[in-house]
Amino acid sequence: MARVAVVTGGSRGIGAAISKALKAAGCEVAATYGGNDEAAAAFTKETGIKTYKWSVGDYDACKDGIAQIESDLGPVDILVNNAGITRDAPFHKMTPQQWHEVIDTNLTGVFNMTHNVWPGMRERKFGRIVTISSINGQKGQFAQANYAASKAGDIGFTKSLAQEGARAGITVNVVAPGYVGTDMVMAVPEKVRESIIGQIPVGRLGEPEEIARCVAFLTADDAGFITGSTITANGGQYFT
Ligand code: CAA
């Protein structure tokens, strides 16, 4: 039977590439999204992958949304926590709202999603959880105290759950992308972006498919011995 995979933020950017890669690997994929109906409809039209709309920051919405996916496709075997936002500002200008929006989506959203698939994975003795962190959770980034804290939090979360899931056949891992050519990175002022590209040894931004490849690797049935790890894919910009 095909594995059922849920990819949050799965209709655009890195998430869309992950949804497609998991479909190509033989999974039944559900892609969730937070706001952009037009992009989601275009994605479904292009790929045939069904999309579901809710905010990962809302625990009850995650619970209900996952129940809906399970009734449509079957029990969730694979969860990819990809949904993420930025609210960049130097710390002296960062508002509590900018802090909470980023933590609620990028970190609490990971709790909300994972907590609602975890009991079923434990019962069935199989699960694959991959959370998309960031190079900036590893090295920090000017104007990203909120984002870097959330992405570093994803790594600590993963290392803890890897220990708890191991005996139940659940692997829990992180992929930490560097700068990839998505809307999020293209929103960085051009001068800043050019200077960032200058710090990437391979001399270019990453492609979403290069991140999706890591996720497909970690979520495969025969990846059961890899847990608690962080795969970095950043063009050599930062070594952990
Ligand atoms: N290091 C040191 N100083 C920096 C800096 C850096 N990386 N970036 C900006 N500065 C300095 C500027 O030179 C400027 O200094 P002066 O005042 O002396 O000229 C000051 O900081 C900026 O102050 P501003 O008041 O102009 O800042 P602002 O309120 O307009 O904010 C910004 C601008 C939000 C910082 C903007 O420059 C920006 O968006 N930077 C990019 C941040 C970034 O890399 N975000 C990553 C987004 S992509 C992503 O997150 C995906 C992923 O996972 C990799």
Side-chain angles (χ1 to χ4, degrees):
M1 271 252 295
R3 296 287 185 196
V4 172
V6 177
V7 182
T8 67
S11 62
R12 292 197 301 132
I14 291 173
I18 293 169
S19 297
K20 289 184 207 171
L22 295 187
K23 186 179 178 195
C27 299
E28 285 276 6
V29 180
T32 82
Y33 70 103
N36 192 331
D37 296 318
E38 214 175 296
F43 175 76
T44 299
K45 198 168 168 209
E46 178 203 336
T47 62
I49 294 171
K50 205 164 169 204
T51 54
Y52 297 80
K53 182 181 184 180
W54 75 80
S55 164
V56 294
D58 179 337
Y59 186 87
D60 290 334
C62 291
K63 189 170 183 207
D64 295 346
I66 289 165
Q68 182 63 53
I69 290 171
E70 296 204 319
S71 123
D72 292 350
L73 302 179
V76 175
D77 301 301
I78 297 168
L79 169 64
V80 184
N81 291 306
N82 165 77
I85 60 169
T86 55
R87 296 287 182 268
D88 294 355
F91 191 60
H92 64 280
K93 290 184 184 171
M94 188 174 285
T95 63
Q97 187 180 348
Q98 287 173 319
W99 172 265
H100 287 298
E101 282 178 6
V102 169
I103 298 295
D104 288 355
T105 301
N106 299 7
L107 184 54
T108 308
V110 171
F111 169 82
N112 293 343
M113 287 298 297
T114 308
H115 201 245
N116 280 298
V117 298
W118 192 253
M121 289 180 175
R122 276 169 51 90
E123 261 169 44
R124 295 185 300 276
K125 297 272 180 283
F126 180 87
R128 296 280 181 269
I129 294 170
V130 177
T131 297
I132 307 302
S133 176
S134 165
I135 184 175
N136 293 343
Q138 298 172 303
K139 72 168 186 57
Q141 171 60 36
F142 189 99
Q144 283 200 313
N146 49 4
Y147 185 85
S150 72
K151 294 297 184 176
D154 290 338
I155 296 172
F157 174 88
T158 292
K159 288 179 176 175
S160 301
L161 279 202
Q163 296 176 37
E164 295 190 26
R167 293 287 171 87
I170 308 170
T171 67
V172 193
N173 291 287
V174 162
V175 175
Y179 284 77
V180 176
T182 60
D183 292 348
M184 184 185 275
V185 168
M186 296 324 268
V188 171
E190 194 180 349
K191 248 176 95 177
V192 179
R193 195 171 60 248
E194 286 309 317
S195 101
I196 290 167
I197 293 172
Q199 295 158 30
I200 305 174
V202 302
R204 61 171 176 85
L205 296 174
E207 300 289 341
E209 293 72 21
E210 292 174 307
I211 308 306
R213 184 174 174 76
C214 302
V215 176
F217 171 72
L218 289 170
T219 53
D221 274 22
D222 61 2
F225 205 56
I226 308 170
T227 195
S229 66
T230 298
I231 296 186
T232 60
N234 62 29
Q237 189 183 350
Y238 184 73
F239 301 131
T240 51

